[in-house]
Amino acid sequence: MQRLLVKSKPVPENPVEELDLDPTRPMVYVLPRDSFSDRLALHQCCLSLGLPSPFEPLIIKGESFNRLVALESATPLFGASDETDFRGRFERLLALHNDHSDLDVQIVPVSLLWGRNPGKEEESVSATLLNSSNPTWLRKTAIISVLGRDNFIRFSRAVSLRYMADKHGTDGTIANKLARVARVHFGRQRTVATGPRLPDRQALFHSLLASPTIKQAIADEAKSKKISEQKARQRAREYMDEIAADYSDSLMRIGDRVLTWLWNKLYKGINVRGAEQIRQLSQDGHGIVFVPCHRSHMDYLLLSYVIYRQGMVPPHIAAGVNLNFWPAGPVFRRGGGFFIRRSFKGNKLYSTVFREYLDQLFKRGYSVEYFTEGGRSRTGRLLPAKTGMLAMTVNSVLRGVERPITLVPVYLGYDHVMEVASYHKELAGKKKEKESAWQVFSAIRKLRNYGQGYVNFGESITIHQFLNEAKPDWRQEIGDGETKQPWLTPTVNQLANRLMCNINDAAAASAMTLTASILLATEQHAMERSALEKQLDLYLDLLRSVPYTARTTVPEGDGQAVLQQVLDLNKFQLTSDGMGEIVSILDGSAVTMTYYRNNSLHLLILPALIAALLLRRGCQTQEQLIAQVKALYPLLQAELFMGLDEQELENQLQGLINELVRHELLESCEQGLVPRQSRRAELCNLGDLFQETAQRYAIVLSRLQREPEIERGALERDSQALAERMSRLHGISAPEFFDKKLFTTLTTRLKEQGLLGEQADQAQVAELYNIVMPLLTATVQNTLVQSN
C-alpha cells in the first residue's frame, strides 16, 4: 500500500556521484528515529539509486550487522519510547576497525521529511496532526496518506569509521560522540529544509510597529506631512501589507507539482551545479541571500523550484511592485515574494518600514533573494549592479544581525528566453509593456520545448568576512549602526562588482551560446555543417582544457552532438546542396542570437583576442601577446565582469596559447608564433568574436587621441552616435553595440585608469589605440578615419 502512496525525492538527485559515496564499500545508514515506513521509503529510494537496501544485512569479517541504525526508537501510541542499541552497534563496529586495519565502513546520515511544513508560532489542529517531527504510528499513517508524495530523502556525506578510529580511538565515548553530532546534524538539516517557524502575519506587523525605529519614523511622518500619528501609523501598516510575503507551505507543495509539469514541458533538462555548498552553508547556520542574474520572469520560479528540490526552503524574494497584479501577485506573495517599489526617494517612512522588514527576515533566519541588476537584461550581458538592496543587507549586518549573512551569486541561463523578442523591440525604442494577467496566460498558451536550463551557484561571499578584508576596523566605526559611514558606499560598490564577477565565474557555456557565437562571427551568419562541428570541437576543447574558472560548465559531447542539440530546437536553418549541408541563422533572428552569445561572451573573449592579435598583427612572442592582452584587460574586466586576478589571467593566457599550439592553429616563426595557414579559417572565426568589442574601443580611443581634453559626457555622446552610424554602415546586428551603458562603463574605467581627464596619460592612450586599431577590418578602419 505504501508504494502506491509514497513518491520519494532523493536530495541530492545523484548522491553517489555528488557525495562521493562508494557502493562497493561497507555502508551503514543512520536515521534520526526508527520507523518501518521510513525504512520502506529508503529501501525503494536506494534500489533506484544503485545503493544497498537498508533491509539487506551487512556482512563484515563474517559477522552480520543491521545496515540501518536509528538514534531513537519509534514513538509508541501510549507510554515512553524504548532505548535504541545505537551505542552497542557502533562500539562493535569500531572494535572491528581496531582489529582490521583494512576495514573502512561508511556511515551515511539519512533524514526523511514528509512534507516541508515549517510550522507556525500558533499551530492549528491540522498542522499539529501532520507534524512529522516525532509522530506515533497512528499520526504517521495520517501523514503518509496526506504527504506521501512529498517525501524528501536527504543523504549526507559519509563519515569514515576508519578515520574516526584512527583519529579518536575506539573506546565507548566515540559512539556517544557520534550520536551527539548526529542529533545536531539532523536538527540542522530539518531547519535547512523547512526554514524557521512562520509568524502570524498580523503579529509580525504588530512587532514591526512596536520597533523604536518605525515609531520614530511614524512620528517624523506625522510631523513632516502634518497628519495625525494615528494616520501615519495606518500608512505604515499599509506599507507593510504592500511589502510583506505570506509564505505558504501548501502552495509550495502544489507549486512543486505544477512546476515539475511546466519544466518537463518547457525544457529537456534543468542542469544544477554547486548546490551542495549552499546546503552546507545553511546547515552551518548562515543566513543565505541568493543573488542571481536576471534574464527572464521565469527566474523567480526556476530558482525557487531548484532550491526546493535541492532540499532547502525556498527564499523570500524581492520582486518589483509591478508584478503585484492578479493573479500573479497573490501567488508570488504566498510563494515567499515580497514587493519593493523601484524608488524610495522622498518617502522616509516607506524606506524605514522596508528596511526593518528586511532586518526581520534576516533575524528570524529566512533566506532572501534579490536581483542586483534591478531589472531583466535586454542584451544577455550582465548589467551593472544597482546597490540599494545590497546596501540594506550590509546595513543589517552593521546593525547587529548575529548570524553570518552570506551572499550566493547564481548564474541562470536558458537555451530560449521567452521575452527575447520583446527585449529587442524595447531596445529599438518601443515602450515596455506593463505586466498583466494577459501576458501570463499568453505565455502559458505558447509553451513548447525550449531545450536546456542552467542553474549554477557561484562562489559565496560572507559579508562579515568581506568587511573584515575591506575595512578591518569596521566594528569600531559603526557606532549605533544608524549613522552612514563614509567608507560604506565604496565598500558596497566593491562588493557589488565582486558579486557580478562571481556570477560570471559560474557561467554555463551551452550548445546555444556556442553555436550562436560561431555563426554570428561569419559574414553571412552561415557555415558548412562539418566546419561548424569542427569549430564547436575547438571551442569545447578550449573551455575544457583551459576552464575560465572551476565553476564554469561546458556541455557534454563533441561538436556533432552539441550542434544536434540546437538543431532539434529549430533555432537554426539547415539546408542542403550538392556539396553538403549548411547551417545558418534564420532570417531576422541575428539580433536574437546576439542575446545568447552575450550570455557567455566573457568565456571566449580572451582566446578571441589572442587570435585577433596574431591574425592582424603578425608573428609575435608569447610575452608580447600576453602584454597586449593585459593592457586591454582592465576594459574587458569592467565591461564583462571578469574577475581573474593578475596571476589567474597570466595562467589563463599561457594555457590558451599552449592549447592553440597543441591544436596546430599556431606554428613557430623566427620571432615567435604565427597562425598556421591551413587552419586560418578556424582562427579567423575565433578572432572575429572580438571584432565588435575592438570597434567600440577604437571609437573611444581615437576620439580621445584627437581631443585629449574632451569631457567625459561629450566623449560618451559622440562615441555612441558614431557607434550607431557604424552599426548601420557595417551591418552590426548586436543592439548593445551602441548601448549608452557600455560607453559609460568604458569611460568610467578609462577615468579610473588615469586615461581620461586633465591629467590623462596620453602615452598609454596611444599605446591602447595602437593595439586596437590593427584589429579592425580595412573597411571599418576607413569609416573610423573618415568620421574623425
Side-chain angles (χ1 to χ4, degrees):
M1 175 63 74
Q2 179 168 316
R3 297 189 183 195
L4 299 176
L5 294 174
V6 174
K7 183 177 181 181
S8 299
K9 306 174 185 72
V11 178
E13 288 188 6
N14 187 354
V16 174
E17 181 178 321
E18 295 186 48
L19 302 178
D20 299 321
L21 301 181
D22 185 354
T24 64
R25 284 169 47 206
M27 186 177 296
V28 173
Y29 303 110
V30 178
L31 268 65
R33 65 191 53 80
D34 197 9
S35 164
F36 182 76
S37 56
D38 285 358
R39 289 182 183 228
L40 186 56
L42 179 59
H43 162 75
Q44 294 169 333
C45 186
C46 286
L47 291 182
S48 67
L49 294 170
L51 291 169
S53 165
F55 291 121
E56 176 187 331
L58 176 63
I59 307 300
I60 302 177
K61 305 300 180 182
E63 288 190 46
S64 180
F65 290 86
N66 192 327
R67 196 178 288 273
L68 187 145
V69 180
L71 298 182
E72 299 175 9
S73 59
T75 303
L77 189 58
F78 302 103
S81 302
D82 297 328
E83 291 287 331
T84 68
D85 60 346
F86 175 90
R87 175 172 174 168
R89 293 189 193 180
F90 274 95
E91 285 180 349
R92 182 58 195 144
L93 285 171
L94 285 165
L96 282 172
H97 281 74
N98 193 42
D99 297 336
H100 302 278
S101 60
D102 62 327
L103 182 61
D104 187 6
V105 175
Q106 301 170 95
I107 304 301
V108 182
V110 183
S111 53
L112 286 87
L113 286 172
W114 301 87
R116 304 278 288 279
N117 188 353
K120 291 190 175 182
E121 292 175 354
E122 295 182 8
E123 291 281 26
S124 64
V125 174
S126 61
T128 303
L129 179 65
L130 296 179
N131 186 339
S132 59
S133 60
N134 195 21
T136 64
W137 65 265
L138 185 60
R139 275 204 294 131
K140 192 62 170 287
T141 303
I143 288 167
I144 291 173
S145 64
V146 176
L147 301 173
R149 302 191 72 79
D150 293 288
N151 174 239
F152 289 80
I153 300 180
R154 169 74 163 96
F155 293 87
S156 297
R157 289 194 179 276
V159 175
S160 166
L161 274 191
R162 165 55 51 202
Y163 173 83
M164 294 293 293
D166 292 346
K167 182 82 171 177
H168 302 288
T170 58
D171 60 51
T173 60
I174 302 304
N176 288 333
K177 185 174 182 179
L178 277 171
R180 287 196 302 272
V181 171
R183 285 189 174 91
V184 172
H185 172 83
F186 287 129
R188 287 179 174 175
Q189 274 199 341
R190 182 172 183 82
T191 301
V192 168
T194 64
R197 296 173 76 86
L198 297 172
D200 176 79
R201 199 161 182 263
Q202 297 305 316
L204 173 63
F205 292 174
H206 183 74
S207 67
L208 286 171
L209 289 168
S211 78
T213 305
I214 290 184
K215 281 184 175 180
Q216 183 60 51
I218 289 171
D220 293 344
E221 177 82 358
K223 185 176 180 181
S224 64
K225 300 293 174 61
K226 298 180 180 179
I227 58 177
S228 67
E229 286 206 13
Q230 181 62 32
K231 190 169 182 179
R233 183 183 176 86
Q234 181 59 34
R235 187 171 293 174
R237 194 179 188 91
E238 289 170 359
Y239 291 155
M240 292 174 195
D241 194 53
E242 175 189 313
I243 293 167
D246 191 15
Y247 181 83
S248 167
D249 171 66
S250 299
L251 179 71
M252 293 307 302
R253 290 205 311 271
I254 296 169
D256 179 46
R257 293 181 176 83
V258 171
L259 290 176
T260 298
W261 167 84
L262 181 67
W263 303 136
N264 287 336
K265 190 168 180 66
L266 281 177
Y267 300 109
K268 288 185 177 179
I270 301 296
N271 303 281
V272 181
R273 176 79 174 268
E276 181 61 27
Q277 59 157 331
I278 314 307
R279 282 193 292 267
Q280 189 60 54
L281 283 169
S282 297
Q283 194 160 316
D284 290 344
H286 288 241
I288 304 295
V289 180
F290 295 97
V291 190
C293 60
H294 203 3
R295 310 281 193 218
S296 166
H297 282 317
M298 300 298 287
D299 299 344
Y300 301 99
L301 301 177
L302 179 59
L303 186 53
S304 288
Y305 174 80
V306 165
I307 291 169
Y308 186 80
R309 280 284 173 139
Q310 291 296 323
M312 295 175 279
V313 62
H316 280 53
I317 309 166
V321 75
N322 58 307
L323 295 179
N324 191 14
F325 61 87
W326 188 90
V331 173
F332 282 158
R333 200 181 294 277
R334 300 284 281 176
F338 59 98
F339 294 99
I340 179 172
R341 296 181 181 181
R342 291 213 174 267
S343 174
F344 297 178
K345 190 175 180 180
N347 195 335
K348 184 181 177 181
L349 179 59
Y350 179 88
S351 62
T352 302
V353 168
F354 186 89
R355 187 186 68 184
E356 289 296 308
Y357 175 72
L358 191 63
D359 277 1
Q360 281 290 315
L361 294 181
F362 291 136
K363 288 175 181 176
R364 290 173 180 266
Y366 300 113
S367 58
V368 172
E369 172 191 335
Y370 51 73
F371 300 92
T372 56
E373 292 170 284
R376 292 164 292 160
S377 171
R378 267 60 178 173
T379 65
R381 292 168 174 250
L382 284 187
L383 303 175
K386 295 183 178 178
T387 57
M389 285 293 294
L390 193 57
M392 282 189 276
T393 304
V394 173
N395 271 313
S396 292
V397 172
L398 299 183
R399 286 195 294 273
V401 173
E402 294 180 3
R403 69 176 64 239
I405 303 298
T406 296
L407 305 167
V408 176
V410 188
Y411 177 91
L412 300 174
Y414 308 87
D415 282 344
H416 176 85
V417 173
M418 289 184 288
E419 300 100 322
V420 162
S422 64
Y423 291 166
H424 295 319
K425 289 176 184 176
E426 290 172 27
L427 289 169
K430 184 180 178 182
K431 187 178 179 182
K432 177 179 177 292
E433 291 184 18
K434 185 178 180 181
E435 282 77 6
S436 65
W438 169 248
Q439 284 185 328
V440 175
F441 295 133
S442 177
I444 293 174
R445 183 174 56 85
K446 297 176 183 176
L447 293 183
R448 57 188 177 88
N449 199 304
Y450 290 143
Q452 303 279 328
Y454 307 88
V455 181
N456 291 352
F457 295 94
E459 183 180 359
S460 60
I461 304 171
T462 299
I463 293 179
H464 292 79
Q465 183 178 337
F466 181 86
L467 290 174
N468 289 340
E469 295 171 359
K471 185 69 177 175
D473 56 349
W474 66 274
R475 295 179 190 274
Q476 288 73 47
E477 293 193 15
I478 56 176
D480 58 5
E482 299 296 331
T483 305
K484 185 175 180 180
Q485 302 297 322
W487 50 264
L488 183 59
T489 296
T491 301
V492 169
N493 290 339
Q494 181 185 349
L495 176 59
N497 186 70
R498 183 168 159 188
L499 260 177
M500 304 312 284
C501 290
N502 286 9
I503 290 174
N504 264 353
D505 283 354
S510 69
M512 175 61 73
T513 63
L514 295 178
T515 306
S517 297
I518 293 170
L519 292 178
L520 285 169
T522 62
E523 188 174 350
Q524 299 299 323
H525 299 159
M527 186 179 279
E528 199 272 328
R529 180 170 184 163
S530 61
L532 177 54
E533 290 172 351
K534 190 176 180 181
Q535 194 73 16
L536 281 167
D537 281 329
L538 170 63
Y539 284 22
L540 291 168
D541 283 347
L542 284 174
L543 291 170
R544 289 168 183 162
S545 302
V546 192
Y548 178 70
T549 70
R551 295 175 184 272
T552 304
T553 58
V554 183
E556 296 180 357
D558 59 8
Q560 183 178 10
V562 166
L563 178 58
Q564 190 58 52
Q565 287 180 35
V566 294
L567 291 177
D568 290 343
L569 296 175
N570 298 319
K571 291 283 188 182
F572 300 94
Q573 185 175 0
L574 184 64
T575 55
S576 300
D577 56 23
M579 302 178 67
E581 293 181 314
I582 296 174
V583 182
S584 57
I585 292 175
L586 294 169
D587 291 342
S589 297
V591 175
T592 298
M593 288 299 112
T594 65
Y595 186 94
Y596 299 108
R597 177 199 63 188
N598 291 345
N599 286 179
S600 59
L601 180 61
H602 64 288
L603 301 181
L604 293 167
I605 202 70
L606 293 178
L609 177 52
I610 291 170
L613 287 167
L614 283 165
L615 287 163
R616 301 288 181 181
R617 295 176 65 89
C619 185
Q620 297 182 74
T621 65
Q622 181 167 307
E623 291 73 22
Q624 288 173 323
L625 281 171
I626 290 175
Q628 291 172 85
V629 175
K630 283 184 174 180
L632 291 176
Y633 180 68
L635 306 182
L636 294 171
Q637 193 176 34
E639 178 181 336
L640 296 174
F641 295 103
M642 300 176 73
L644 302 176
D645 62 27
E646 187 174 351
Q647 187 57 56
E648 289 169 337
L649 177 63
E650 178 91 20
N651 295 340
Q652 183 87 2
L653 296 174
Q654 288 178 352
L656 288 168
I657 293 169
N658 292 338
E659 192 65 17
L660 291 172
V661 171
R662 189 181 73 81
H663 273 270
E664 298 184 344
L665 272 77
L666 307 179
E667 60 184 357
S668 298
C669 64
E670 290 183 6
Q671 288 80 30
L673 295 169
V674 70
R676 187 182 293 271
Q677 284 300 117
S678 61
R679 307 290 299 278
R680 194 175 182 88
E682 294 162 73
L683 206 62
C684 281
N685 183 268
L686 178 60
D688 282 346
L689 271 175
F690 193 75
Q691 186 62 213
E692 291 173 13
T693 303
Q695 289 178 29
R696 265 197 320 277
Y697 292 175
I699 288 170
V700 174
L701 293 169
S702 61
R703 188 77 170 88
L704 263 179
Q705 277 234 300
R706 189 164 62 88
E707 191 178 342
E709 303 298 324
I710 189 172
E711 292 184 355
R712 180 177 161 188
L715 177 61
E716 290 175 10
R717 288 192 300 273
D718 293 352
S719 298
Q720 184 187 11
L722 180 53
E724 189 168 3
R725 187 170 192 267
M726 289 178 66
S727 73
R728 295 194 185 98
L729 290 172
H730 299 286
I732 298 171
S733 55
E736 81 278 0
F737 181 72
F738 51 88
D739 184 8
K740 183 179 184 298
K741 292 176 183 176
L742 279 183
F743 285 103
T744 299
T745 299
L746 181 54
T747 57
T748 300
R749 179 49 59 97
L750 288 170
K751 189 171 181 63
E752 291 170 353
Q753 296 288 111
L755 307 179
L756 176 60
E758 294 180 2
Q759 305 299 320
D761 185 342
Q762 290 305 310
Q764 193 175 350
V765 171
E767 179 189 348
L768 293 178
Y769 176 81
N770 290 331
I771 293 174
V772 168
M773 279 300 288
L775 305 184
L776 309 184
T777 64
T779 54
V780 172
Q781 286 190 45
N782 288 336
T783 301
L784 195 56
V785 170
Q786 291 169 8
S787 299
N788 281 325

